[in-house]
Amino acid sequence: MDGDVAVGVKRGSDELSMYGSSPNSMTANGSDSKKQRLDESPPSRVLHIRKLPSEVSETEVIALGLPFGKVTNILMLKGKNQAFLELGTEEAAITMVNYYTAVTPQVRNTPVFIQYSNHKELKTDSALNQRAQAVLQAVSAVQDGSSPSSDPGVLDLAPPPSPVLRIIIDNMFYPVTLDVLQQIFSKFGTVMKIITFTKNNQFQALLQFSDPVNAQQAKLSLDGQNIYNSCCTLRIDFSKLVNLNVKYNNDKSRDYTRPDLPTGDGESTNKDHSLLGTPSGALASYSSGGGYSSSLSLSQGGGAISPLSAAAAAAAAAGRVALSGSGVSGVLLASNLNEEMVTPQSLFTLFGVYGDVQRVKILYNKKDSALIQLSDGNQAQLAMSHLNGQKVFGKVMRVTLSKHQTVALPREGLDDQLLTKDFSGSPLHRFKKPGSKNFQNIFPPSATLHLSNIRDGVGEDDLRLLFSNSGGTVKAFKFFQDRKMALIQMSSVEEAIQALMDLHNYDMGGNHHLKVSFSKSTI
């Protein structure tokens, strides 16, 4: 055993000193010297995690690796705020490292650094690492569905009493929808049913897995985690219920095994807009049973997971979504634009669906590119996840985070082409008020648009004509009962994007300005 200890601890110490001055941390914005050091470490199923908070638990470190595969060993070096995590396969470790290249991993709202270790496997003496081994054994037992043989004094994991979890969301600054919960919890098994409700002024949910073991694994990994940076904390217990009775599939309840259920209150499904939406490529396709497939499709190749899917895929990474406002620029770079057509106003309107745009600058020497400054990094990442890869004015737009922290305004008299515009005082910002209904109506670009604030006396023919004049073909139309709102379906997503840019805030007369957003529904 002494030999094993020496190997495990000594190799760890060598690595600590090796990376002490110039860590080859796996971050998306690492310097060239860091990248060079990174090339020296070949992929390994053992990962070296640094800069952990001093009070971190073994369970939290294991949770970083859980979404990517089986965790087979762990070595905690608490005095050095570091740990080594061994995954079951090298492929799982590569997927994890690639993923966390695009999305900064966080533990207790603190960014941590993950890199390949020089170890090919971890050899640890359980006498030195007893607590970590006990937690790992318990987690492994949950993964395998067997009974853990760990010391019950270290972690109490009795057989799970129910496949149903009761979830309370504390500090709910952003709305949490049923779809968000499904994305997060489905990483741990098949989610069959969800019911959401408000009790004692707190948003709560009941969520049923197909197997009690999956419920136990989700509770172990997600309890106490934040969905968004510094807010929306999950408090998870087992429910006394063992089966949920869902009558309606709408924005408050869902039975994924029964897609045939009615919506119950007519239009409610039209409002079921996840704050995250579903960036294209982020979720695997629907399963043949009609429910969501139970996992997020992480890139298995050598390249990093596309930032396009980060906002949704990170929900699976131990319950954290890639909306870490701290340290993330609120400025985006949009490129491959149609320079004959694009204007600061059109970009303000389109990106304004996902955040409050402060400034837009079309680049003087490269007019097919523009900088867009939003209120914060949360909104910037949300806009990037939904708009990267969308076709705008006939060209596929690329959206990435910019290295700039702000968009500078030109000195007076120097912007004769009106390429830069300050929108900071605009009355059209959708998200100024915390808890605004607009937070619940964020959805990826779609061919169907949601119209609101329609003036009395304006009919279907008027609206069809208005939207046809924007250069598209209206495929379908449907008024809501009060005729102040409607759905209008264009023949393509590109046409809908064009119509939204042209007609959001359109003056209908009588102090009525049309409001246009993307809808989840089809007509």
Side-chain angles (χ1 to χ4, degrees):
M1 280 308 272
D2 289 343
D4 288 349
V5 177
V7 171
V9 176
K10 183 171 185 302
R11 287 294 299 279
S13 302
D14 289 346
E15 285 187 351
L16 300 181
S17 59
M18 183 190 304
Y19 300 129
S21 56
S22 176
N24 66 350
S25 54
M26 290 302 301
T27 57
N29 56 353
S31 67
D32 290 339
S33 63
K34 288 179 183 176
K35 286 176 185 170
Q36 190 175 351
R37 296 296 296 270
L38 178 62
D39 294 339
E40 295 168 12
S41 291
S44 163
R45 65 191 184 98
V46 180
L47 300 176
H48 182 202
I49 304 170
R50 302 181 303 105
K51 296 202 174 178
L52 289 163
S54 53
E55 69 278 13
V56 69
S57 70
E58 291 84 353
T59 308
E60 288 169 299
V61 176
I62 293 169
L64 286 170
L66 273 182
F68 305 95
K70 189 174 177 64
V71 177
T72 51
N73 208 347
I74 180 173
L75 175 66
M76 298 290 288
L77 300 167
K78 286 201 171 177
K80 295 183 170 18
N81 299 96
Q82 307 192 10
F84 291 91
L85 200 65
E86 180 186 275
L87 276 75
T89 64
E90 194 173 288
E91 290 73 27
I94 290 170
T95 302
M96 179 173 167
V97 165
N98 286 341
Y99 177 74
Y100 286 131
T101 303
V103 179
T104 303
Q106 295 199 357
V107 176
R108 301 196 179 201
N109 296 321
T110 303
V112 299
F113 296 90
I114 299 175
Q115 64 207 34
Y116 294 117
S117 165
N118 285 343
H119 299 301
K120 289 303 174 191
E121 62 178 333
L122 269 183
K123 296 180 181 178
T124 52
D125 184 340
S126 59
L128 294 179
N129 200 25
Q130 191 170 18
R131 177 180 170 83
Q133 290 300 307
V135 174
L136 179 69
Q137 202 173 4
V139 174
S140 299
V142 173
Q143 285 180 314
D144 297 339
S146 59
S147 298
S149 56
S150 59
D151 177 3
V154 176
L155 190 70
D156 181 19
L157 271 179
S162 166
V164 179
L165 295 175
R166 185 176 69 115
I167 303 156
I168 297 174
I169 312 289
D170 283 341
N171 190 21
M172 197 168 96
F173 181 71
Y174 289 113
V176 175
T177 65
L178 185 146
D179 286 344
V180 172
L181 293 173
Q182 195 275 339
Q183 286 180 23
I184 294 170
F185 282 83
S186 66
K187 195 59 199 174
F188 298 92
T190 302
V191 174
M192 297 178 70
K193 304 170 186 177
I194 307 177
I195 298 172
T196 63
F197 55 95
T198 302
K199 185 177 179 182
N200 301 328
N201 290 327
Q202 274 192 312
F203 179 81
Q204 301 189 27
L206 293 169
L207 183 146
Q208 181 177 341
F209 279 100
S210 58
D211 191 312
V213 168
N214 301 136
Q216 188 170 32
Q217 186 178 352
K219 180 181 183 300
L220 181 71
S221 299
L222 298 179
D223 187 27
Q225 303 285 2
N226 293 330
I227 300 178
Y228 301 107
N229 191 46
S230 304
C231 68
C232 299
T233 308
L234 293 163
R235 304 287 178 211
I236 305 172
D237 287 306
F238 288 108
S239 169
K240 291 175 183 173
L241 301 170
V242 292
N243 186 47
L244 297 179
N245 181 22
V246 176
K247 295 179 180 177
Y248 304 115
N249 281 341
N250 54 33
D251 59 337
K252 294 186 173 59
S253 62
R254 195 82 53 85
D255 185 337
Y256 296 97
T257 67
R258 294 276 313 278
D260 56 311
L261 287 177
T263 58
D265 49 359
E267 306 294 351
S268 67
T269 48
N270 296 331
K271 303 172 193 167
D272 185 16
H273 297 293
S274 160
L275 179 65
L276 302 176
T278 307
S280 56
L283 277 173
S285 59
Y286 285 91
S287 66
S288 56
Y292 286 107
S293 61
S294 63
S295 65
L296 288 150
S297 52
L298 296 173
S299 166
Q300 297 288 337
I305 187 170
S306 163
L308 170 69
S309 59
R320 293 183 196 82
V321 174
L323 297 178
S324 51
S326 57
V328 177
S329 167
V331 180
L332 296 172
L333 173 65
S335 56
N336 200 40
L337 302 171
N338 183 333
E339 56 186 272
E340 302 297 321
M341 303 284 289
V342 72
T343 64
Q345 182 67 45
S346 62
L347 292 173
F348 165 76
T349 304
L350 178 58
F351 282 77
V353 173
Y354 302 106
D356 292 335
V357 175
Q358 304 298 311
R359 293 174 181 176
V360 177
K361 182 187 194 78
I362 295 173
L363 302 186
Y364 183 79
N365 294 324
K366 201 173 186 315
K367 292 190 175 64
D368 69 344
S369 299
L371 294 172
I372 300 109
Q373 180 180 337
L374 290 102
S375 290
D376 57 38
N378 293 357
Q379 295 181 357
Q381 285 200 351
L382 204 56
M384 177 178 72
S385 71
H386 290 311
L387 294 176
N388 181 35
Q390 296 292 345
K391 208 168 185 185
V392 180
F393 297 123
K395 298 184 74 173
V396 176
M397 178 172 68
R398 297 293 169 210
V399 184
T400 58
L401 288 171
S402 167
K403 63 186 178 190
H404 296 283
Q405 295 300 310
T406 58
V407 170
L409 293 174
R411 287 200 297 273
E412 202 167 335
L414 289 185
D415 188 15
D416 55 354
Q417 296 181 39
L418 303 177
L419 298 177
T420 305
K421 190 157 183 190
D422 185 0
F423 294 98
S424 56
S426 172
L428 298 183
H429 288 156
R430 298 182 189 231
F431 306 104
K432 268 186 179 170
K433 295 178 185 172
S436 159
K437 282 187 179 177
N438 289 325
F439 279 108
Q440 298 165 42
N441 293 301
I442 295 174
F443 212 69
S446 59
T448 306
L449 296 168
H450 181 275
L451 314 181
S452 60
N453 208 32
I454 298 170
R455 184 183 175 186
D456 287 343
V458 173
E460 178 177 338
D461 290 345
D462 301 314
L463 290 166
R464 279 179 174 267
L465 180 62
L466 180 65
F467 278 76
S468 299
N469 287 343
S470 74
T473 304
V474 176
K475 289 288 192 186
F477 183 92
K478 177 186 173 186
F479 262 124
F480 285 55
Q481 285 179 337
D482 61 2
R483 296 180 72 84
K484 290 189 172 70
M485 294 192 291
L487 295 176
I488 191 163
Q489 189 173 332
M490 310 302 288
S491 63
S492 69
V493 175
E494 184 185 0
E495 283 186 7
I497 288 174
Q498 177 75 52
L500 182 139
M501 290 191 296
D502 288 348
L503 296 173
H504 177 62
N505 199 45
Y506 179 81
D507 187 355
M508 305 185 78
N511 202 26
H512 275 71
H513 287 81
L514 186 66
K515 290 188 170 134
V516 185
S517 57
F518 297 113
S519 172
K520 175 183 183 175
S521 308
T522 52
I523 304 171

